[in-house]
Amino acid sequence: MSAIQEIRVGMKPELADPRGETLQQQLNAWGMGELQNQSIRTATVYRFEGITSDAAKQLAADVLTDTLTQQATLNSPFTAGTKLEIAYKPGVMHPVEASLQMAAQQKNILPAATTASIEYYFAGDVPDEQLAEIGRRLTSQVETVIWQKPETL
């Protein structure tokens, strides 16, 4: 099995996170108003199987990150907090996968597989039951909650 490189891209901390702010508003509508005042940051996780960390750094810098508004991490959490990750179910192709493959190939990087997901980081503690309920509400029929890093893509 080849290693999976994880690139997390999100808004710089000094900038607003529109996706996080939208979820904060949704929490109140879902009757979870006690979580509404928590800071929520989000990151898109791009996973590449079969590439080196140097190649992942190149993709993060050259392709995946808008350096004016975003920052990236490689193989580490984007920020601290309680994390909830939403991804497409195994066997369901994420619409961005073909674009990720093409962008990598244009840089002469040839990943065996690619995928992407969204991570939500809550600044405070979120009880497991509420986290599961938020995950259930955020997922569609083709998405699922990811509780641990996949071993392969």
Side-chain angles (χ1 to χ4, degrees), residues 1-5 48-51 110-113 149-153:
M1 221 177 317
S2 55
I4 296 174
Q5 303 294 330
F48 294 87
E49 187 170 4
I51 68 171
L110 304 173
K149 178 181 177 176
E151 292 181 18
T152 184
L153 301 181

Side-chain angles (χ1 to χ4, degrees), residues 8 13 40-43 71 73 76-83 119-123:
R8 288 172 173 81
I40 302 172
R41 302 301 290 182
T42 64
Q71 64 183 27
T73 64
S76 63
F78 184 71
T79 190
T82 303
K83 180 184 81 170
E119 289 180 338
Y120 297 85
Y121 291 90
F122 297 83

Side-chain angles (χ1 to χ4, degrees), residues 6-9 46 48 51 53-67 70-74 107 109:
E6 295 179 323
I7 302 165
R8 288 172 173 81
V9 177
Y46 301 100
F48 294 87
I51 68 171
S53 61
D54 287 341
K57 287 177 192 174
Q58 181 183 1
L59 287 171
D62 296 348
V63 177
L64 300 173
T65 308
D66 173 354
T67 57
Q70 297 176 315
Q71 64 183 27
T73 64
L74 179 61
K107 296 287 181 184
I109 299 169

Side-chain angles (χ1 to χ4, degrees), residues 58-153:
Q58 181 183 1
L59 287 171
D62 296 348
V63 177
L64 300 173
T65 308
D66 173 354
T67 57
L68 291 176
T69 60
Q70 297 176 315
Q71 64 183 27
T73 64
L74 179 61
N75 298 320
S76 63
F78 184 71
T79 190
T82 303
K83 180 184 81 170
L84 176 66
E85 183 175 2
I86 307 294
Y88 277 72
K89 292 179 179 178
V92 178
M93 184 174 171
H94 191 295
V96 77
E97 288 179 30
S99 296
L100 290 172
Q101 286 280 356
M102 188 181 313
Q105 289 171 1
Q106 288 176 350
K107 296 287 181 184
N108 293 317
I109 299 169
L110 304 173
T114 61
T115 192
S117 61
I118 304 294
E119 289 180 338
Y120 297 85
Y121 291 90
F122 297 83
D125 290 328
V126 179
D128 290 344
E129 312 80 51
Q130 280 187 313
L131 203 59
E133 178 63 16
I134 294 166
R136 187 187 68 74
R137 289 177 181 261
L138 288 176
T139 56
S140 68
Q141 292 182 352
V142 297
E143 295 170 313
T144 188
V145 175
I146 302 293
W147 298 109
Q148 62 187 12
K149 178 181 177 176
E151 292 181 18
T152 184
L153 301 181

